[in-house]
Every structure is written in structure tokens, then in C-alpha cells.
């Protein structure tokens, strides 16, 4: 009878260890979402028709508006764009979009577009001035979501539209730089958003090992 409490404690320790190992294996096998899940939304070339998004800055908007036909000016005024509106998005009569931003170089300048534009089209950014190299990164930041805890009911169905709109990024160096930054950002956000009960020492170790392996690095752990 005196040995029963010790047996209970030993069983509890074994159960906790087993639970820890199972969680670690699950995370190492991909329980956290893929860090590359932005990839479908940043493509290197267009395999079909694209829709243009005209990027207009504050300094150029009035001149651009004045150069439009009278019916287009009336349309834009009715849509609330008689004056520049930062972060404004409007569908133009010629079936392309205009996006207004006072600072195209800002990190999150284009981050709202993937969720605001119809996701069943492929988009290109057009501008009178060269767009900043961070445009692709900004777009990719707007494609982040964390659905790992929503259950199987939240999984997309075969006939569902994509969650986010996709952008053509023709410059390979811009795309590569954006992908590197996005992988790190998505991992950090995932670790923050994952439930605390799923992010114990063993789980964090599994994530660290996976990260080290992806970078060709080695790691050691002191446990105790």
C-alpha cells in the first residue's frame, strides 16, 4: 500500500514524457503550418491572364485624375476618390484597379491587397515610378493567417476560392529576398500564435531542430 503513491507518480511522469515526445514528433512532422505557404501567392510568371493594379502616389494623383476622361472623373468622384485617399482601392472603368498609397516603400504598403482584391485573379503592379523591391515582401506579409487550431472544418474545400490574391513577381532577386524574409516572419508569428500548451521545451526543441536542419546547421541540447 505504501508503494502505491510512488507508482502513481511514476506513471504520471511516464505519461507526461510520452505526451511530450508525441507533441515533439507532431511538430517536427509539420503540425505548425508550412513556412512556405505564401508561395502560391507570389509567382514568378503568369500562366494566364492578369489584372493590373495601378499604384498611384499622393504627389501624382491629382495630375492623373485630371488627365482622365470626364466620365471616369465622375465615376471616381462618385466612388469617393475626388481627392487622394491613402490605402484607397477602386476598380477603374477599364477593368483594372487603382491603389493609392502615400508611401509605396513602407513595409506594409501593399499588405492589405491580398485580402481585399478578388482572389480568383492574378495581379501585376503598375507604376509610373519603379516600385520598391519590398513590394513582394509587403504583399506576402498580407497573406499570413494561422488556421492550425481551427480544426478540420476550416480546411478549404476543392471548390473554394483561394484565401488570398496572387501577385506576379518578375524579378527573381526580389522574389528570393521576399521569400527569405517571409519564412522567418511566418515562423515567428506561428510560434506566437500557437497555444502555450503546445509550445513546451520539447516542442520548441523540435522546431529549432527543424530550422537548423533546413539551414544545414547542427545543434545540441542540454536537458535536465
Amino acid at each position: 500500500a505504501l508503494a502505491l503513491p510512488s507508482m502513481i507518480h511514476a506513471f504520471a511522469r511516464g505519461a507526461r514524457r510520452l505526451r511530450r515526445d508525441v507533441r515533439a514528433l507532431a511538430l517536427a512532422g509539420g503540425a505548425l503550418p508550412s513556412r512556405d505557404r505564401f508561395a502560391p501567392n507570389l509567382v514568378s510568371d503568369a500562366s494566364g491572364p492578369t489584372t493590373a493594379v495601378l499604384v498611384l502616389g499622393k504627389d501624382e494623383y491629382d495630375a492623373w485624375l485630371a488627365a482622365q476622361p470626364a466620365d471616369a472623373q465622375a465615376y471616381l468622384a462618385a466612388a469617393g476618390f475626388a481627392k487622394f485617399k491613402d490605402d484607397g482601392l477602386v476598380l477603374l472603368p477599364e477593368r483594372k484597379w487603382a491603389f493609392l498609397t502615400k508611401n509605396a516603400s513602407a513595409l506594409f504598403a501593399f499588405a492589405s491587397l491580398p485580402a481585399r482584391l478578388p482572389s480568383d485573379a492574378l495581379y501585376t503592379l503598375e507604376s509610373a515610378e519603379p516600385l520598391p523591391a519590398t513590394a513582394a515582401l509587403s504583399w506576402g506579409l498580407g497573406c499570413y493567417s494561422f488556421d492550425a487550431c481551427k480544426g478540420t472544418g476550416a480546411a478549404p474545400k476543392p471548390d473554394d476560392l483561394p484565401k488570398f490574391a496572387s501577385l506576379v513577381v518578375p524579378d527573381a532577386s526580389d522574389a528570393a529576398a521576399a521569400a527569405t524574409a517571409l519564412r522567418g516572419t511566418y515562423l515567428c508569428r506561428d510560434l506566437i500564435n500557437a497555444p502555450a500548451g503546445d509550445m513546451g521545451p520539447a516542442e520548441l526543441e523540435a522546431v529549432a531542430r527543424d530550422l537548423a536542419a533546413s539551414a544545414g546547421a547542427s545543434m545540441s541540447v542540454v536537458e535536465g
Side-chain angles (χ1 to χ4, degrees), residues 27-28 33-36 179-180 183-184 187 205-219:
L27 281 174
S34 167
R35 299 194 298 272
D36 291 310
T180 299
R183 290 188 190 100
L187 175 59
E205 178 189 337
V207 174
R209 287 191 181 280
D210 180 61
L211 183 61
S214 67
S218 60
M219 64 171 283

Side-chain angles (χ1 to χ4, degrees), residues 5 17 22-23 40 45 86 102 139 142 168 175 182 200 207:
R17 189 177 299 112
V22 168
R23 276 181 166 174
D45 53 40
D86 188 37
K102 63 182 180 182
W139 188 284
V168 178
L182 288 169
V207 174

Side-chain angles (χ1 to χ4, degrees), residues 3-18:
L4 185 58
S6 298
M7 294 174 61
I8 292 175
H9 286 308
F11 177 79
R13 285 196 302 271
R16 286 195 298 270
R17 189 177 299 112
L18 177 61

